[in-house]
Amino acid sequence: MYLANRWKDYEVVDASDGEKLERWGQYVLIRPDPQVIWQTGHGQAWKHPNAHYHRSSKGGGEWEFFDLPEEWTIQYTTSIEKTLTFHLKPFSFKHTGLFPEQAANWDWFSPIIKKAVEAGRDVKVLNLFAYTGGATAAAASAGAHVTHVDASKGMVTWARENAASSGLGDAPIRWLVDDCTKFVEREIRRGNHYDAVIMDPPSYGRGPKGEIWKMEDNIYPFLCDVVKLLTKEPLFVLINSYTTGLQPAVLTYLLRSALKGQGFEGDVQSDEVGLPVTKSGLVLPCGAAGRFTGKG
């Protein structure tokens, strides 16, 4: 398992009965988690959260606030000793603006980028479905030129704030509000290429004109197009999945098939991504990641 176990400002304190108790800096939140199907009880630590997201039986849910600011920040120091700052705020469907388990991936690709940059390579990274820019900040802090693409203007604005707070306000980052599928198609026609690609596609979504995205149906043809954007000696490709039932081995087969179709060779590995649970010592599974490491 790819374990995000280097956090100081975040921890999963406990998990039980469909919920997780988390510390985000100095604030404690209770949020639902469908993976937590065990029932080990809610002890004293659960009694005084700063906020609690209650899921509705009809779908969705709402926050109950006790003592939580509208916005606050936490920091993370990557494996190459770069400190990133993230703005957090509670918003729709339980989210805070950050998926902390992704730190495991930041720590994986940051040294790859840094090594290539130190060797004199001008590293270009494409981050698709880039959300609030955790991976963008990590890649830029390692020395990469990053193209950040997300269909939500609000998420791109948030990502820019995170980058600025991380000391990356003047970093070579292109911020694009665009549909990722259509952007990739245009980049292919333009003949543009990237040394590495990061993608965090949703399980389900709709494009700006109502186009339906369904992970199981769309990811393979999309990935085959993305691979066409790689340079001749790519550094890496990272694909994340939160789709229930999509096993890590599926990501391995997807990557190998798409990359082989374009003649790329390298190492492909996939595994679950997880966060340690302080009380139990167990690990909370948080989706999966597929990693291709090229020979470049």
Side-chain angles (χ1 to χ4, degrees), residues 20-280:
K20 55 189 174 185
L21 180 70
E22 304 166 290
R23 179 182 61 82
W24 299 79
Q26 61 180 310
Y27 301 105
V28 175
L29 308 183
I30 298 175
R31 297 192 299 157
D33 192 309
Q35 297 288 337
V36 183
I37 61 175
W38 54 88
Q39 299 180 7
T40 52
H42 288 182
Q44 186 63 33
W46 294 76
K47 300 301 183 184
H48 302 289
N50 295 99
H52 189 168
Y53 187 91
H54 299 278
R55 176 166 285 170
S56 170
S57 59
K58 298 179 181 180
E62 62 180 1
W63 284 98
E64 179 183 12
F65 298 110
F66 303 105
D67 182 20
L68 188 71
E70 292 185 2
E71 184 174 318
W72 72 103
T73 62
I74 63 173
Q75 293 186 321
Y76 182 76
T77 301
T78 68
S79 58
I80 59 169
E81 300 301 321
K82 298 293 185 179
T83 298
L84 311 176
T85 299
F86 301 106
H87 293 258
L88 306 175
K89 54 188 173 183
F91 71 111
S92 60
F93 196 62
K94 78 179 181 179
H95 295 309
T96 63
L98 182 67
F99 292 99
E101 67 275 5
Q102 288 303 313
N105 286 322
W106 308 337
D107 286 339
W108 168 69
F109 66 65
S110 292
I112 298 174
I113 295 172
K114 181 182 178 183
K115 181 179 178 180
V117 170
E118 289 177 344
R121 186 164 176 172
D122 187 17
V123 176
K124 295 173 60 180
V125 173
L126 174 61
N127 187 11
L128 299 167
F129 310 98
Y131 195 51
T132 58
T136 293
S141 70
H145 294 248
V146 184
T147 298
H148 174 111
V149 187
D150 195 278
S152 168
K153 183 179 180 180
M155 292 300 105
V156 174
T157 299
W158 195 339
R160 294 187 74 153
E161 293 173 356
N162 285 335
S165 296
S166 300
L168 300 167
D170 295 325
I173 303 172
R174 283 202 302 161
W175 304 101
L176 301 176
V177 179
D178 205 343
D179 177 82
C180 289
T181 301
K182 291 191 168 44
F183 173 79
V184 168
E185 291 171 351
R186 290 197 301 273
E187 287 291 87
I188 292 172
R189 292 195 295 270
R190 293 167 182 150
N192 290 333
H193 294 89
Y194 298 85
D195 301 289
V197 178
I198 300 164
M199 66 178 80
D200 200 348
S203 297
Y204 181 86
R206 289 185 179 272
K209 295 184 179 180
E211 308 94 330
I212 294 176
W213 167 278
K214 190 175 181 182
M215 183 77 160
E216 297 91 330
D217 297 337
N218 298 99
I219 188 57
Y220 185 67
F222 177 72
L223 183 58
C224 287
D225 279 346
V226 167
V227 168
K228 295 175 184 177
L229 295 178
L230 293 174
T231 52
K232 292 182 179 180
E233 296 182 345
L235 294 176
F236 66 87
V237 176
L238 169 66
I239 178 170
N240 292 298
S241 171
Y242 292 92
T243 302
T244 303
L246 196 64
Q247 301 296 324
V250 176
L251 298 180
T252 295
Y253 301 151
L254 283 170
L255 281 167
R256 283 181 178 168
S257 299
L259 290 158
K260 184 177 180 181
Q262 293 295 319
F264 290 112
E265 296 183 0
D267 179 59
V268 177
Q269 295 185 10
S270 302
D271 208 338
E272 289 184 280
V273 180
L275 289 161
V277 181
T278 302
K279 182 179 179 181
S280 65

